[in-house]
Amino acid sequence: MTNSVSTTKNRKTWLIGLAVVILIGAVAVYRYSQSQVQQDVLTIGISPPYAELLQSVADEVQKQGIQVKLVEFSDWHAPNVAVQNGDIDANFFQQSVFLRNAIRETRYDLHAFATGTGSHVGLY
């Protein structure tokens, strides 16, 4: 009888251990798949005046399978900080002189990728 009780305990221990390993594996697979989904989204910081235009562009490229998430910033320095910290992938809000000045002042490792239009810029 003692041998039977010992075998039952070993079997339970083994099954509990197996269940824990399966659970940890499932959580790891789930977290990996979620991180892959997150990596497939291009996150761009924008200023509010560009929101409508850039959302229409994001909607268009989504048809091609490119996911774009727009994040609005009202603080002119926050988008560069967010890019530098890796919180967003890029930003679309500043002109080249502002960017050069920001890099000079902060020593951030930022680089211009492409130019856009400045529809809300004017002479006041």
Side-chain angles (χ1 to χ4, degrees), residues 5-68:
V5 171
S6 177
T7 303
T8 303
K9 276 186 172 181
N10 285 340
R11 188 173 294 157
K12 283 183 180 177
T13 303
W14 187 83
L15 288 174
I16 290 172
L18 180 62
V20 168
V21 168
I22 290 171
L23 180 63
I24 290 171
V27 169
V29 167
Y30 174 77
R31 293 204 49 171
Y32 176 77
S33 67
Q34 288 301 99
S35 72
Q36 293 302 309
V37 168
Q38 294 285 334
Q39 290 176 359
D40 290 342
V41 176
L42 177 62
T43 305
I44 302 175
I46 63 170
S47 62
Y50 295 121
E52 189 177 327
L53 171 65
L54 293 177
Q55 186 58 57
S56 67
V57 173
D59 293 343
E60 250 336 280
V61 298
Q62 184 174 5
K63 295 173 185 173
Q64 300 170 19
I66 301 169
Q67 299 293 324
V68 176

Side-chain angles (χ1 to χ4, degrees), residues 59-123:
D59 293 343
E60 250 336 280
V61 298
Q62 184 174 5
K63 295 173 185 173
Q64 300 170 19
I66 301 169
Q67 299 293 324
V68 176
K69 176 182 176 186
L70 302 175
V71 179
E72 288 188 35
F73 290 90
S74 58
D75 176 335
W76 287 100
H77 298 283
N80 285 336
V81 173
V83 171
Q84 182 66 27
N85 292 339
D87 298 328
I88 62 176
D89 300 308
N91 64 50
F92 185 91
F93 82 99
Q94 62 195 326
Q95 42 103 326
S96 60
V97 175
F98 186 90
L99 175 62
R100 280 195 305 270
N101 187 51
I103 292 169
R104 188 179 73 244
E105 289 179 357
T106 62
R107 303 281 187 234
Y108 286 162
D109 185 24
L110 302 175
H111 306 279
F113 176 73
T115 57
T117 61
S119 62
H120 71 286
V121 176
L123 180 61

